[in-house]
């Protein structure tokens, strides 16, 4: 699969907030986007957990560790952006993975340093805004408010 070469015309897609989960000391928020239905199916969402497990470093010792995934299914395959906030609370690290429909959990790194598409960027922007509002700006981080802030709708 080659990212960014298949001709596409932008049309809004539905983004749904997914239940957060714990993974090796990380609290992971999630979003699902689908080009063909209201939300990605369970097999794709389960595969995204595999990508998160492949990507996330060791959780911060004795400190909150927060990450999020943006899972996106399209006609040509599946994509997942795995992102995590740095210990200093102002840097976002990320890795983007691709897989085909024959095995959605067989992730390979996105080529040419691809980061995210226009649909995934809407969820990333919402995460940035929630992080700044609830964690990076206040004198004391409000992680519960950050975790409660989600992004769903047609974008």
């Amino acid at each position: 699969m080659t990212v960014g070469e298949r001709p596409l015309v932008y049309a809004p897609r539905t983004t749904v907030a997914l239940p957060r989960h714990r993974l090796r000391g990380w609290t992971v928020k999630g979003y699902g986007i689908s080009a063909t239905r209201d939300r990605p199916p369970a097999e794709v969402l389960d595969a995204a957990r595999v990508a998160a497990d492949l990507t996330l470093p060791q959780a911060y010792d004795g400190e909150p560790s927060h990450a999020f995934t943006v899972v996106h299914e399209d006609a040509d395959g599946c994509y997942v952006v795995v992102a995590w906030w740095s210990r200093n609370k102002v840097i976002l690290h990320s890795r983007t993975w691709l897989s085909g429909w024959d095995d959605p959990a067989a992730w390979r790194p996105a080529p040419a340093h691809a980061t995210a598409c226009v649909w995934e960027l809407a969820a990333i922007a919402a995460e940035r805004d929630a992080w700044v509002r609830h964690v990076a700006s206040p004198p004391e981080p409000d992680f519960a408010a950050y975790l409660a802030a989600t992004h769903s709708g047609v974008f």
Side-chain angles (χ1 to χ4, degrees):
M1 176 182 342
T2 303
V3 174
E5 294 188 9
R6 184 171 58 102
L8 286 174
V9 174
Y10 175 81
R13 295 182 181 178
T14 301
T15 299
V16 296
L18 303 170
R20 64 181 175 265
H21 65 278
R22 299 279 298 162
L23 177 65
R24 295 187 292 102
W26 290 91
T27 301
V28 183
K29 293 172 71 174
Y31 299 94
I33 304 168
S34 176
T36 60
R37 52 189 133 197
D38 290 338
R39 65 185 290 145
E43 70 190 48
V44 174
L45 300 178
D46 291 343
R49 288 181 186 228
V50 171
D53 195 39
L54 288 170
T55 306
L56 291 173
Q58 184 174 343
Y60 306 130
D61 189 32
E63 296 179 48
S65 303
H66 292 87
F68 63 90
T69 58
V70 184
V71 184
H72 191 171
E73 67 163 345
D74 205 338
D76 59 353
C78 304
Y79 305 79
V80 63
V81 177
V82 180
W84 63 101
W85 294 104
S86 67
R87 185 176 292 216
N88 74 1
K89 299 179 182 61
V90 296
I91 305 294
L92 179 67
H93 302 269
S94 69
R95 180 114 189 239
T96 302
W97 300 88
L98 313 173
S99 69
W101 280 110
D102 52 330
D103 184 358
W107 297 106
R108 59 190 180 280
H113 307 287
T115 302
C117 71
V118 295
W119 296 280
E120 296 153 0
L121 283 170
I124 293 169
E127 279 296 297
R128 177 258 179 217
D129 291 348
W131 187 259
V132 167
R133 185 172 50 256
H134 300 296
V135 177
S137 291
E140 291 297 320
D142 186 347
F143 291 112
Y146 164 70
L147 293 172
T150 61
H151 172 80
S152 295
V154 179
F155 305 96

